[in-house]
Amino acid sequence: MGSRFSLCITLLLQCLVVQGVRTVDTLEGGVARNSLANSEALSSGMTVRETETPLVSVHFPMDPEDMQKMLGDRLEPDVYEGKAYIQVSQFYISKLEMFGVLPSLMSAWCMRISAYVKMKDSGEKGYVILSADFDSSISGSIMTNGCKKSQLGTACGTIAANQTQEGDGQVFTVVQDKTLLLRLSAQQVPVSNEAFFNWANQRYVRFQLSEDKKELRRGTQPTEEKTWEGNYELKSFGAMPFISEVFQTKYAGYGWGKLGVRTVDTLEGGVARNSLANSEALSSGMTVRETETPLVSVHFPMDPEDMQKMLGDRLEPDVYEGKAYIQVSQFYISKLEMFGVLPSLMSAWCMRISAYVKMKDSGEKGYVILSADFDSSISGSIMTNGCKKSQLGTACGTIAANQTQEGDGQVFTVVQDKTLLLRLSAQQVPVSNEAFFNWANQRYVRFQLSEDKKELRRGTQPTEEKTWEGNYELKSFGAMPFISEVFQTKYAGYGWGKLDATSDPCQKGLCFFSKKEKMRACTAHARSIVSNTVAGFQPLASGTRGANVWGSGTYFARDAKYVADGGFCGQPAADGTRQMLVCLLMTGVPCLGDPDHKGVLPFRNKPHRYNCSVDSLSSPEIFIVQHPGSALPAYLITFA
């Protein structure tokens, strides 16, 4: 009966849309009175009333010329203080009334992306809905289908959305095709920018623009029938305040990916809170803690104009006594914690090359990592691969590194592709140039700059959680005190090869040794349940918390409530929070679980065995996997 009802509704919508050239504005409450092109003839569309409770909207500023790319020749961006704006809104349609067609009980989650625009000739202000995605419920599916049939130029799809309570705030999430498009952890505060709020929301004209930009429609809403209640500003907070993958997922073709790029700073510990270009929208990456024991850093002075060649037009060298500086550091990552993904046993040698820079407009100081090379161990290979996938503008490769004792000193070496990049024979002495040491190291902003110098990202680290222990200056000594081929091997194209031939920087107080450097994101410590990055989950060692009701293996619950209420998250932390993993499973063909299953499941058709077991074949709630490669931890969820 349910499927027949849905089919009838869908067919009825199609029939109504075919009549004439009217637009049924299923996405915006009110009466859709539309005119096509320049025609003043109004088509009396279907009367629609929509109630959204609650409505969350995030506004992304952008350059007007970037928005113009998709507006054709009759519309242009409506700007506020020199910026065009895209609105990304998440809301729950709690009531939808399409009189005589759809019942008033229709409801669904929706994510809508709109651009604020105006007519070029008349200056009339309004908006264009670029996309509208609904949840997969029956109501949401009907709305998605209706959107595809009636909404000119609007991309219509399916999402999963939610709003939950977190401490004193709320968390808003949107997922599409297993991609986390949007996550906002925020608290309600009084509206501080009422002028912008009114500018953005008091729009009663909706334009619909075809994909080829040739057809333009205009629809109006009565001002008295578009109202807002209980308005607040949202301030992001917490360890993961804001994540956006909206624009690089949906609008990379327009070059809008820079509006919402998440940076997972695998090389620098800390929660990456980033703003792209001049946007104030913050994005946070995965929590990373990194311990380097020991850390050796060599600083090469250079002319500022030589460094400027690779910094683009928004960054400039940060100078000390008239010189710019490149840091070449060699260290051993003795502990790397990427909660819920990589275990705490990850370790590898690394050579990192950084430039000390600052923003031209604000003077904010930081650094750019030019390259990061790791050893060829399993851990190092994983880090290299992660670096290549997530680090914008950073060259990632493989090296062999070592530190050995030589008489009263130590020898530090780095080799890449059979080339000796760096060799330093040195002794530890007290730091004589503490002012330079502090100038070089007390930097808590990392910039990432794309190779074409057009995209700039910014990430910060909490100052109190980046520490150094056992600091010394290094003085070179012996028959081969200092050898460097770093710059002519890696940066000859910038004319930096001459830096290798400069006099020994360790004789100028520019080389340092730290027994330990720690970079951390937060004080809470999450224990990884994955003990080995290659072996992954260990099914035969799992299932020992209680009786193996469905046999041995790693148990996964379909519902988070089962895990939370069943006490499987352990004791709460000091702040009352608990944690659970969200995992991706390869379940294959399941069989019914049995206490006698000891890691090998029955044959389903020789020589093929079942791939996992479940508590119920008709409606499984528990999945038990017996193979380490069947489960991949995707997210670590912290909740109260």
Side-chain angles (χ1 to χ4, degrees):
M1 180 64 182
S3 60
R4 290 181 60 192
F5 175 77
S6 300
L7 178 61
C8 291
I9 293 298
T10 303
L11 291 176
L12 190 54
L13 274 176
Q14 293 177 19
C15 292
L16 290 169
V17 171
V18 172
Q19 300 174 21
V21 286
R22 64 181 173 180
T23 301
V24 180
D25 198 346
T26 59
L27 304 181
E28 296 295 314
V31 180
R33 300 183 176 88
N34 308 283
S35 61
L36 299 194
N38 287 322
S39 174
E40 294 301 320
L42 297 179
S43 72
S44 58
M46 181 188 302
T47 303
V48 178
R49 286 194 178 94
E50 179 176 313
T51 304
E52 302 165 354
T53 53
L55 167 69
V56 174
S57 59
V58 181
H59 296 86
F60 291 82
M62 66 188 302
D63 293 331
E65 53 268 27
D66 288 337
M67 181 183 289
Q68 187 64 57
K69 297 175 184 177
M70 59 81 62
L71 295 183
D73 57 359
R74 299 181 58 205
L75 293 175
E76 65 182 359
D78 187 19
V79 299
Y80 184 89
E81 295 183 349
K83 287 292 183 180
Y85 280 87
I86 297 289
Q87 180 207 57
V88 178
S89 57
Q90 177 205 6
F91 52 90
Y92 186 72
I93 303 173
S94 57
K95 190 175 183 180
L96 181 65
E97 299 170 286
M98 301 173 68
F99 302 144
V101 181
L102 293 183
S104 61
L105 296 179
M106 294 283 288
S107 60
W109 282 103
C110 177
M111 182 184 77
R112 184 175 58 212
I113 302 176
S114 307
Y116 297 144
V117 300
K118 62 182 180 181
M119 290 289 293
K120 282 188 177 181
D121 54 0
S122 66
E124 183 179 43
K125 297 184 177 184
Y127 59 95
V128 173
I129 296 179
L130 307 178
S131 69
D133 301 289
F134 304 86
D135 66 29
S136 58
S137 65
I138 294 176
S139 296
S141 299
I142 293 173
M143 293 179 192
T144 302
N145 189 58
C147 174
K148 292 178 178 178
K149 300 291 183 182
S150 67
Q151 303 303 302
L152 181 71
T154 298
C156 310
T158 304
I159 47 95
N162 199 10
Q163 296 184 14
T164 57
Q165 196 72 25
E166 182 180 276
D168 296 330
Q170 292 173 294
V171 177
F172 310 92
T173 55
V174 179
V175 177
Q176 187 172 52
D177 296 331
K178 298 181 181 180
T179 297
L180 180 63
L181 291 185
L182 187 70
R183 185 188 190 276
L184 170 62
S185 179
Q187 294 173 322
Q188 297 176 9
V189 298
V191 177
S192 63
N193 194 351
E194 195 163 338
F196 179 84
F197 178 86
N198 293 332
W199 174 85
N201 288 288
Q202 291 178 1
R203 295 171 182 269
Y204 305 98
V205 176
R206 174 187 171 187
F207 300 102
Q208 296 190 49
L209 186 64
S210 61
E211 290 188 23
D212 60 8
K213 312 298 184 292
K214 294 180 180 180
E215 184 176 0
L216 179 65
R217 303 180 187 176
R218 172 188 174 278
T220 62
Q221 297 171 318
T223 58
E224 71 277 2
E225 292 195 29
K226 187 175 181 182
T227 61
W228 300 265
E229 299 176 9
N231 303 318
Y232 294 91
E233 187 174 313
L234 291 176
K235 288 294 185 183
S236 55
F237 79 104
M240 289 197 299
F242 188 86
I243 297 173
S244 173
E245 298 278 354
V246 171
F247 296 96
Q248 58 181 331
T249 302
K250 288 179 168 287
Y251 302 106
Y254 287 106
W256 292 3
K258 60 185 179 182
L259 296 182
V261 178
R262 176 177 57 182
T263 301
V264 181
D265 199 344
T266 58
L267 301 182
E268 299 295 313
V271 178
R273 300 180 176 89
N274 308 286
S275 59
L276 297 218
N278 289 322
S279 172
E280 294 301 319
L282 297 179
S283 96
S284 70
M286 180 188 305
T287 302
V288 178
R289 288 193 177 96
E290 181 176 312
T291 303
E292 301 165 357
T293 53
L295 167 70
V296 173
S297 59
V298 180
H299 296 85
F300 291 81
M302 65 188 303
D303 291 333
E305 54 267 27
D306 288 336
M307 181 183 287
Q308 188 65 58
K309 296 175 184 177
M310 60 81 61
L311 295 183
D313 58 2
R314 299 182 58 206
L315 293 175
E316 65 182 1
D318 187 20
V319 300
Y320 185 87
E321 295 183 348
K323 288 291 184 180
Y325 281 87
I326 297 288
Q327 181 207 61
V328 178
S329 58
Q330 177 204 6
F331 53 90
Y332 186 71
I333 302 173
S334 58
K335 191 174 185 182
L336 180 66
E337 300 166 287
M338 299 172 66
F339 302 148
V341 181
L342 295 182
S344 60
L345 297 180
M346 294 282 288
S347 58
W349 282 102
C350 177
M351 181 183 76
R352 185 173 58 209
I353 302 176
S354 307
Y356 297 143
V357 300
K358 63 181 180 181
M359 290 288 293
K360 281 187 177 181
D361 55 359
S362 66
E364 183 178 42
K365 297 184 177 184
Y367 59 96
V368 174
I369 297 180
L370 306 178
S371 69
D373 301 289
F374 304 86
D375 66 29
S376 59
S377 66
I378 294 175
S379 296
S381 300
I382 293 174
M383 294 181 194
T384 301
N385 188 56
C387 174
K388 291 178 179 179
K389 291 183 179 296
S390 67
Q391 304 302 303
L392 180 71
T394 298
C396 310
T398 304
I399 47 95
N402 200 10
Q403 295 184 14
T404 57
Q405 197 71 26
E406 184 180 277
D408 296 330
Q410 292 173 293
V411 177
F412 310 93
T413 56
V414 179
V415 177
Q416 188 172 50
D417 296 332
K418 298 181 181 180
T419 297
L420 179 63
L421 292 184
L422 187 70
R423 186 187 190 277
L424 169 62
S425 178
Q427 294 175 321
Q428 297 175 14
V429 298
V431 176
S432 63
N433 195 350
E434 195 164 336
F436 179 85
F437 179 88
N438 292 333
W439 174 85
N441 289 287
Q442 291 177 359
R443 295 171 183 268
Y444 307 98
V445 176
R446 175 187 170 186
F447 300 102
Q448 295 190 48
L449 185 65
S450 61
E451 290 187 24
D452 61 7
K453 311 298 184 291
K454 294 181 179 179
E455 185 175 357
L456 179 66
R457 304 180 188 173
R458 173 188 174 277
T460 63
Q461 297 170 318
T463 57
E464 71 278 3
E465 302 215 37
K466 187 176 181 182
T467 61
W468 298 265
E469 298 174 15
N471 303 316
Y472 295 91
E473 188 173 310
L474 290 176
K475 287 293 185 183
S476 53
F477 79 108
M480 290 194 299
F482 186 84
I483 298 174
S484 174
E485 296 282 343
V486 171
F487 296 96
Q488 56 185 320
T489 302
K490 288 179 168 287
Y491 303 105
Y494 288 110
W496 291 3
K498 59 186 179 182
L499 296 182
D500 293 317
T502 58
S503 56
D504 182 357
C506 298
Q507 292 297 325
K508 300 177 181 179
L510 299 176
C511 301
F512 302 97
F513 176 93
S514 296
K515 290 184 177 179
K516 180 185 292 187
E517 180 182 12
K518 290 184 178 180
M519 295 178 289
R520 299 182 294 176
C522 53
T523 55
H525 178 80
R527 177 179 59 87
S528 175
I529 68 169
V530 184
S531 60
N532 184 282
T533 188
V534 178
F537 289 94
Q538 292 297 289
L540 296 182
S542 304
T544 57
R545 183 180 181 274
N548 294 338
V549 179
W550 305 108
S552 61
T554 307
Y555 283 56
F556 297 87
R558 181 192 67 190
D559 302 318
K561 181 177 175 61
Y562 182 95
V563 179
D565 293 350
F568 294 94
C569 298
Q571 293 298 316
D575 60 356
T577 61
R578 292 183 292 166
Q579 295 178 322
M580 72 172 69
L581 283 173
V582 178
C583 300
L584 302 177
L585 298 185
M586 186 172 62
T587 56
V589 180
C591 66
L592 187 65
D594 190 289
D596 292 333
H597 291 166
K598 302 298 183 184
V600 179
L601 297 178
F603 288 104
R604 60 182 175 86
N605 186 10
K606 285 189 176 182
H608 305 293
R609 296 181 182 272
Y610 288 99
N611 304 106
C612 75
S613 54
V614 294
D615 63 332
S616 169
L617 291 175
S618 60
S619 180
E621 295 183 358
I622 305 297
F623 294 82
I624 306 96
V625 299
Q626 288 75 24
H627 192 280
S630 297
L632 173 68
Y635 298 98
L636 179 71
I637 306 299
T638 301
F639 65 102

